[in-house]
Amino acid sequence: MTMSKPASLPGLAARAGFTWRAGDGERRPLHAVLLRGVADAERLIDPLSRALDGSGPAVLPVDAALPAARISQLLDAFQPDAVIGPDGEARTRSGSSGVAADTAVIIGTSGSTGEPKGVELSAAALTHSARASLARVGARPGEQWLVCLPVSHVAGLQVLVRSLVGGTRPAVAADASAGALAASGCAHLSIVPTQLVRLLGEPGGREALAGFSSVLVGGAAAGAAALEEARAAGIAVVTTYGMSETCGGCVYDGVPLDGVAVREGGDGRLRISGPVLMSRYHERPDLTAAAFEHGPDGGREFVTSDLGYVDGGGRVVIRGRADDVIITGGHKVVPGEVSAVLSTCPGVREVVVVGRPDREWGERVTAVVVPADPADPPGLELLRMHVSARLPRYACPSEVVLTEAIPVLPSGKPDLASLKVART
């Protein structure tokens, strides 16, 4: 773990070796920064600071651990002016046309086809998100954040932005162990559900987590059992919902951040509006046009891929992703709803529900379960009874797979593609 002295945003920007201002032209240079995981988070702070205050190029953080072919695909798609390697050496590239003047950061994401999409985020959107987050968790000036998520993804990047807006530099814990968390001395933390579950089961993990003033948990749905266990241990858990296109989490514990509005559309998908929205997809006006609609007040709304609604108390409820819906015997099953129910079943520590190919039913509902006690795992009938008491019977799992751990992607989200592959 590395610790750094606090530094203000203007102070960081003053170190710029490259300057650029909006008045210099309509396009802004873009620099790709190759990062070796969480441990390399420090290297992004200064370029990010300059990108946010306008004194430097826009930045494209890239995970250096990706396969070389994938990195080349990203660089070809986004055409940065320069690539800053893990050793700090800059390599210029020809043929780049830069990015729009209002773009500070590009986050590379992949659709269902794996084709790179560049989410262009403005400094105004990123800093509004950071300020609203700091206000919501009651962060005080000078309180440090701990980075233990990859900063090439929006959740990790936003820890850096919150730190800069709050006038600090964060600490970094590459392993996110109980010891590292306890030794950090930080007040605020952002993790994914898998990290929460593992820390709850690690000696000293609960005590380490309880030492933070806030623990943001997002990136995927957190199981009810883990959240209940954490809160019972005195951990200040805050669940977050959002995506790269909304500068990360924009709904905290079901309540949108200040300035953000969420509503259900006629197709059941959630619409999000407010100052945290992305500017556009890089060089993809077709995707950008498809992602936005005009809301009831004529304002710009981002159409998410998530099914959900706003309950009578004004809280946002996420049912699951529209593109993950399982069609079994002609019935539509939302995996997120089944996972939420199963997470409250006795004997279940973690669970992910996916659809797997089935000759008779088209798809079968499969529950991938990490048992609370490997020596006494929950059986299929128990899981089915638990679901049938709350959801239609066709939503009950017809298959259960027991595993020691849910496979995850570098972002910390469950690796649904691998889970959908049937085991023999």
Side-chain angles (χ1 to χ4, degrees):
M1 181 182 68
T2 60
M3 301 286 289
S4 304
K5 296 181 179 179
S8 66
L9 183 59
L12 292 173
R15 305 178 190 175
F18 178 97
T19 59
W20 174 87
R21 295 286 178 184
D24 292 343
E26 295 182 357
R27 304 294 287 182
R28 182 180 193 176
L30 174 67
H31 285 189
V33 184
L34 301 185
L35 302 160
R36 292 168 294 200
V38 178
D40 240 7
E42 285 273 350
R43 292 186 50 244
L44 189 62
I45 295 177
D46 284 356
L48 176 61
S49 174
R50 297 196 294 270
L52 292 174
D53 74 3
S55 65
V59 295
L60 166 67
V62 177
D63 182 2
L66 290 172
R70 181 60 175 175
I71 293 177
S72 295
Q73 185 183 28
L74 290 170
L75 298 180
D76 290 343
F78 304 142
Q79 289 294 309
D81 298 81
V83 178
I84 315 300
D87 56 1
E89 183 178 348
R91 175 171 55 88
T92 59
R93 288 169 55 95
S94 60
S96 174
S97 58
V99 295
D102 65 345
T103 298
V105 174
I106 292 183
I107 295 292
T109 67
S110 298
S112 58
T113 63
E115 179 185 4
K117 293 191 297 183
V119 177
E120 295 194 15
L121 302 173
S122 69
L126 287 163
T127 55
H128 180 96
S129 173
R131 290 190 180 97
S133 174
L134 293 171
R136 182 61 60 85
V137 301
R140 292 174 293 187
E143 288 185 336
Q144 254 187 323
W145 285 77
L146 181 63
V147 181
C148 56
L149 293 172
V151 294
S152 54
H153 297 280
V154 74
L157 179 91
Q158 272 294 57
V159 175
L160 302 187
V161 179
R162 293 185 202 113
S163 297
L164 291 170
V165 168
T168 69
R169 286 180 83 108
V172 179
D175 60 355
S177 65
L181 268 59
S184 72
C186 293
H188 304 282
L189 175 68
S190 181
I191 56 177
V192 295
T194 298
Q195 290 173 314
L196 174 65
V197 170
R198 290 174 182 173
L199 283 163
L200 289 173
E202 182 180 338
R206 297 184 187 188
E207 294 77 9
L209 289 169
F212 289 87
S213 299
S214 70
V215 178
L216 306 186
V217 180
L227 292 174
E228 182 179 349
E229 182 180 345
R231 287 169 177 147
I235 300 167
V237 170
V238 179
T239 61
T240 71
Y241 164 73
M243 58 281 302
S244 298
E245 290 86 347
T246 61
C247 291
C250 62
V251 176
Y252 282 25
D253 282 340
V255 180
L257 293 178
D258 293 346
V260 176
V262 181
R263 71 177 186 91
E264 179 186 357
D267 57 0
R269 297 189 184 207
L270 293 174
R271 270 73 170 164
I272 300 175
S273 58
V276 299
L277 297 184
M278 71 169 181
S279 302
R280 64 193 66 82
Y281 288 116
H282 182 65
E283 301 294 349
R284 291 300 304 269
D286 55 330
L287 293 180
T288 303
F292 288 97
E293 292 180 350
H294 293 295
D297 62 355
R300 188 169 176 254
E301 286 186 326
F302 176 69
V303 182
T304 75
S305 296
D306 297 307
L307 301 171
Y309 59 93
V310 180
D311 68 14
R315 291 185 177 273
V316 179
V317 178
I318 312 299
R319 297 177 59 206
R321 289 185 61 83
D323 50 8
D324 286 338
V325 168
I326 300 168
I327 309 296
T328 180
H331 296 288
K332 292 183 178 180
V333 175
V334 180
E337 289 185 325
V338 184
S339 295
V341 170
L342 286 175
S343 70
T344 66
C345 182
V348 174
R349 186 165 187 81
E350 284 186 89
V351 60
V352 174
V353 173
V354 295
R356 288 182 171 177
D358 187 277
R359 290 183 62 184
E360 181 179 0
W361 298 99
E363 287 183 288
R364 62 183 179 275
V365 181
T366 301
V368 183
V369 173
V370 178
D373 180 2
D376 185 23
L380 179 60
E381 283 309 307
L382 173 62
L383 300 180
R384 288 179 60 84
M385 289 176 58
H386 194 77
V387 172
S388 65
R390 297 160 179 81
L391 295 174
R393 193 154 185 83
Y394 59 75
C396 296
S398 57
E399 177 182 46
V400 59
V401 175
L402 300 175
T403 183
E404 294 181 355
I406 301 294
V408 296
L409 300 169
S411 62
K413 297 181 180 181
D415 187 352
L416 298 181
S418 69
L419 293 176
K420 289 179 181 179
V421 178
R423 302 179 183 179
T424 57

